[in-house]
Amino acid sequence: MILVLLGPPGAGKGTQAERLAEEFKLPHVASGDLFRENMKNKTELGLLANRYIVEGELVPDDVTIAMIRDRLERPDCENGVILDGFPRTLAQAEGFKDILAGMDRTLDGVLYIAVPDEELVRRLSGRRICRRCQTPYHIQFNPPQNHRVCDICAGVLYQREDDKPETVRARLNVYRQQTLPLIDFYCQYGLLTEVDGSGDIETVTAALSEAAHGLNK
Ligand code: AP5
């Protein structure tokens, strides 16, 4: 199964992609995590991505599409993948179509996680991320057992640079301008399912899981 999770910053794509990946035994591929990994390792790609990410802007399409193509060609994606954060422009959606066509694969569905703006800001301002395994926590809604350390791998938790209020505002604007058009794009192919993402984490997981199982029928 090839599944895309679409939604605004803070909608819960990363949180839910992890859970779906576990349920469906598929890799979770997050463009943001791939960029942050490169930034941490100070690779050429990481240094380039950092310039855009700190401003809340999108990394250029050609760079992003090439990075995702490389990742999808790895053997662990043979049986499918849960994509989080890609595609997020029309050019990326077209590039993704070409990647899949070249691999003789098709997209099974896009699950759009809808969450009101005020809730997004609350979620992003309280988010903490594991520096080692990237698991997201929330100081109020999904706290770790120890507030400084990841429950899964004991990595140190930190607040993302782009979760500062002014950068969050920029990211939401970019989302509205460049990513929202993907809803119509995937609707026209009958691939889009909207899921209410405003409930608690368990409720949203159940709704997404049901929608994902529906795609396999
Ligand atoms: P990326 O890392 O993809 O960030 P994003 O899309 O802005 O999404 P987030 O990671 O902020 O949120 P999320 O939806 O995953 O929510 P989460 O599960 O963490 O991208 C970062 C940057 O990289 C971009 O700005 C861009 O510069 C660049 N980039 C990435 N992909 C790109 C691409 N394709 N093209 C170009 N540039 C790209 O949840 C948020 C918080 O809420 C957490 O604290 C969580 O614990 C909590 N939470 C989750 N669900 C719930 C719930 N139901 N109730 C209460 N709290 C919840």
Side-chain angles (χ1 to χ4, degrees):
M1 181 171 67
I2 299 183
L3 187 63
V4 167
L5 294 190
L6 180 68
K13 302 181 295 297
T15 303
Q16 299 297 343
E18 275 297 315
R19 290 164 166 241
L20 290 176
E22 204 176 314
E23 180 182 349
F24 288 91
K25 305 276 173 279
L26 292 173
H28 164 205
V29 171
S31 44
D33 288 350
L34 293 174
F35 286 132
R36 282 184 290 278
E37 189 66 23
N38 275 279
M39 283 155 60
K40 192 170 89 183
N41 295 330
K42 297 195 166 48
T43 65
E44 204 177 315
L45 171 63
L47 294 172
L48 177 114
N50 186 55
R51 297 214 304 263
Y52 297 91
I53 290 178
V54 292
E55 300 295 333
E57 299 291 333
L58 296 183
V59 180
D61 288 328
D62 54 341
V63 176
T64 306
I65 292 167
M67 176 181 77
I68 293 292
R69 176 182 283 116
D70 281 355
R71 182 63 188 88
L72 294 182
E73 282 172 354
R74 290 209 215 137
D76 66 332
C77 294
E78 221 164 58
N79 293 327
V81 64
I82 311 283
L83 275 162
D84 149 17
F86 179 90
R88 62 212 273 167
T89 65
L90 288 170
Q92 289 180 19
E94 293 292 354
F96 185 39
K97 243 167 82 179
D98 294 343
I99 295 174
L100 292 180
M103 299 170 85
D104 212 13
R105 312 283 296 271
T106 48
L107 174 60
D108 293 283
V110 176
L111 304 184
Y112 165 52
I113 308 178
V115 177
D117 275 9
E118 61 279 10
E119 175 68 9
L120 297 173
V121 174
R122 276 204 308 156
R123 289 186 189 179
L124 291 175
S125 58
R127 173 164 61 183
R128 299 293 180 271
I129 307 274
C130 172
R131 208 174 273 289
R132 194 182 292 160
C133 75
Q134 315 271 343
T135 299
Y137 295 89
H138 191 282
I139 49 175
Q140 186 185 348
F141 307 130
N142 181 27
Q145 282 164 22
N146 172 335
H147 75 288
R148 285 167 193 272
V149 173
C150 176
D151 292 347
I152 297 168
C153 74
V156 175
L157 304 184
Y158 77 107
Q159 182 162 31
R160 263 169 52 177
E161 189 69 15
D162 61 346
D163 280 347
K164 288 183 183 149
E166 62 277 17
T167 318
V168 166
R169 272 193 294 278
R171 285 163 61 201
L172 287 171
N173 281 334
V174 166
Y175 170 78
R176 283 186 207 104
Q177 286 163 18
Q178 302 198 48
T179 308
L180 264 184
L182 291 184
I183 291 174
D184 284 344
F185 179 87
Y186 283 119
C187 266
Q188 74 181 339
Y189 292 108
L191 284 169
L192 194 101
T193 306
E194 179 169 335
V195 170
D196 178 5
S198 62
D200 62 29
I201 292 176
E202 300 300 334
T203 306
V204 179
T205 305
L208 287 168
S209 170
E210 192 184 336
H213 281 286
L215 300 173
N216 275 337
K217 283 183 190 150

